[in-house]
Amino acid sequence: MYSFLSNRRQRVKNGDVVSEWLQMSAGMPQGSYLGPLTFVILIDSLRPTRMTHKYVDDTTLTEFMSKSGVSCMQAHVDELVQQSTDTVMIVNARKTKEMLIDATISKDPPMVTLSGAVIDRVVTFKLLGVNVASDLKWNTHIEAISRKVASRLYFLKQLKRAGAGLNDLLNF
């Protein structure tokens, strides 16, 4: 594994222009058989004490609170970040979101930070292809699916107007 990953170089080609070679300090070659396996091994080692849901490169922490309870999410995020750092992985603060699911929370818990950056608190979030809303209603998901359907139907309509045959339309 070490010899496979060490002393790797890369360069970029755009048309006829080629960049200089750059020594890589980290990363797995894209498309390699070892990439997904290595990632699964690394992400499996993330075991925070909070309920955790992991799927490919998504990790979701869940906290259940009573109405008068105090959130411990900051401590759990800190723990996850520390475990990620220990396995030389980086949690992307810009892609990390927090969502409160329950309208009966009397006061909002303090904002959660990740490595000094405040995590965005959202009312909807796309998780594994499903748009989850903080009120647990399906409206946001149905609207997103409807927009996608309308866009694809418009595309097919444009292809038909341009003279695309039935087989081409079926392919698209």
Side-chain angles (χ1 to χ4, degrees), residues 134-148:
S134 60
D135 60 5
L136 296 180
K137 293 185 179 176
W138 288 98
N139 302 14
T140 305
H141 184 70
I142 291 168
E143 288 169 9
I145 296 296
S146 298
R147 281 192 304 274
K148 188 183 285 187

Side-chain angles (χ1 to χ4, degrees), residues 50 62-73 98 100-102 104-110:
R50 180 59 34 208
T62 305
E63 177 181 49
F64 292 99
M65 291 175 38
S66 64
K67 289 182 183 180
S68 60
V70 176
S71 174
C72 299
M73 188 54 74
E98 176 188 31
L100 305 176
I101 300 179
D102 193 349
T104 62
I105 297 174
S106 58
K107 65 176 192 170
D108 288 340

Side-chain angles (χ1 to χ4, degrees), residues 2 4-10 21-29 88 90:
Y2 177 78
F4 177 68
L5 294 175
S6 60
N7 300 317
R8 288 203 163 273
R9 301 181 315 153
Q10 77 172 24
W21 285 101
L22 175 68
Q23 187 73 31
M24 301 302 300
S25 60
M28 179 67 67
V88 196
I90 299 169

Side-chain angles (χ1 to χ4, degrees), residues 39-83:
F39 183 78
V40 168
I41 291 168
L42 287 173
I43 199 168
D44 186 58
S45 65
L46 299 179
R47 297 187 184 267
T49 53
R50 180 59 34 208
M51 185 187 315
T52 308
H53 314 280
K54 295 184 269 186
Y55 183 79
V56 188
D57 63 347
D58 285 333
T59 301
T60 304
L61 298 178
T62 305
E63 177 181 49
F64 292 99
M65 291 175 38
S66 64
K67 289 182 183 180
S68 60
V70 176
S71 174
C72 299
M73 188 54 74
Q74 183 63 61
H76 299 300
V77 168
D78 293 342
E79 177 187 29
L80 180 71
V81 169
Q82 184 58 53
Q83 290 180 7

Side-chain angles (χ1 to χ4, degrees), residues 142-160:
I142 291 168
E143 288 169 9
I145 296 296
S146 298
R147 281 192 304 274
K148 188 183 285 187
V149 167
S151 171
R152 290 180 181 174
L153 286 174
Y154 178 76
F155 174 70
L156 289 172
K157 185 177 177 180
Q158 293 298 94
L159 283 176
K160 187 173 181 182

